[in-house]
Each structure stands twice: as C-alpha cells, then as structure tokens.
Amino acid sequence: MLPSLSLAALLQSRLLEILKSEEANGSSLHIYTVGDFIVAFEKSAYWLSRIVPECGTAVMRFASLPFPVIMASTAASDVSRVKSLFASDGEHEGRMTFRTDEIPRDKYMKWHDEKAFEGEKVRK
C-alpha cells in the first residue's frame, strides 16, 4: 500500500494532474491512499463505485474549475476487491493503477451527471 497523504494535500498538490489523467483515461482505475481510505476521481471514481457499490461519493466544486469533480472513497481494505478483479499496472508517484475494461462513455456520463446534479433541478 502507498504512503498516505491527506485529502487536502492530495488535492492541493495534484488536482490538475489527476484531472488531466482522468480526462485521457480510457481503461484504467487510478486510486490514491488518503488516511485509512482509498479515493478515486472522475472516471476512476466510476469504476470504484461499480466495484464497491457501498463506497461514498462526493461532488467537489472548485472556484478555479468550471465543472464539478466527482470523488469516490472507501476503506483502504477494499483495495483487495479491486485487486481481485483487475491486473495492477503498479504504483507510481503515489497512485495505484489497475487495467480495466474500456470505460463506457455513455454510462459514465450518465453516472457523472446523476452524481454532479443529485438533488438539483436540471433546467430544460
């Protein structure tokens, strides 16, 4: 398991890097250790929520970004569930990466919009 960062430290030091990685992500799950938890963002959060349906999700809004960021989190012990399903591409720069199936864009976008706007009325 990777050394742990605080969530604030992870977001402060790596948010833009994480978002660029997730934007290009087609078939990977990237997870980060934060205390006793693992966290994933955007497309990786989609996969983590599929593997661990009881994981928590959070919508984060940053003044510097024009869109909401979705984060999924679960107990660090749940990494064993990830490892049982997907091959590891290793640990690099504080991130564990696993090879997944291709992320279905339509399902991901629907999931993202549902999470991002949960509880809000969608204007038509």
Side-chain angles (χ1 to χ4, degrees):
M1 186 73 65
L2 296 168
S4 176
L5 287 174
S6 73
L7 181 58
L10 177 65
L11 294 174
Q12 183 176 21
S13 65
R14 305 206 38 208
L15 179 62
L16 293 180
E17 171 193 332
I18 289 168
L19 293 177
K20 285 179 185 177
S21 176
E22 289 300 322
E23 182 180 20
N25 186 2
S27 57
S28 295
L29 166 57
H30 306 293
I31 56 179
Y32 305 83
T33 303
V34 175
D36 292 334
F37 297 88
I38 53 173
V39 298
F41 301 90
E42 295 296 308
K43 293 175 182 172
S44 292
Y46 170 84
W47 274 123
L48 188 58
S49 72
R50 294 300 177 256
I51 297 163
V52 185
E54 65 276 15
C55 76
T57 56
V59 178
M60 298 181 291
R61 300 183 193 285
F62 298 92
S64 60
L65 297 174
F67 53 86
V69 175
I70 309 298
M71 179 185 78
S73 63
T74 189
S77 60
D78 284 329
V79 78
S80 62
R81 291 165 77 174
V82 175
K83 289 179 177 180
S84 73
L85 294 172
F86 298 114
S88 174
D89 272 348
E91 299 177 6
H92 182 68
E93 296 182 358
R95 175 176 79 186
M96 290 181 276
T97 300
F98 298 88
R99 281 176 268 137
T100 65
D101 298 329
E102 188 167 334
I103 296 168
R105 180 169 168 67
D106 57 332
K107 290 181 181 178
Y108 164 72
M109 292 303 297
K110 183 178 186 237
W111 173 86
H112 190 278
D113 288 348
E114 286 172 356
K115 294 294 179 187
F117 302 107
E118 205 167 48
E120 294 180 22
K121 287 187 177 179
V122 178
R123 294 182 192 171
K124 294 188 179 196

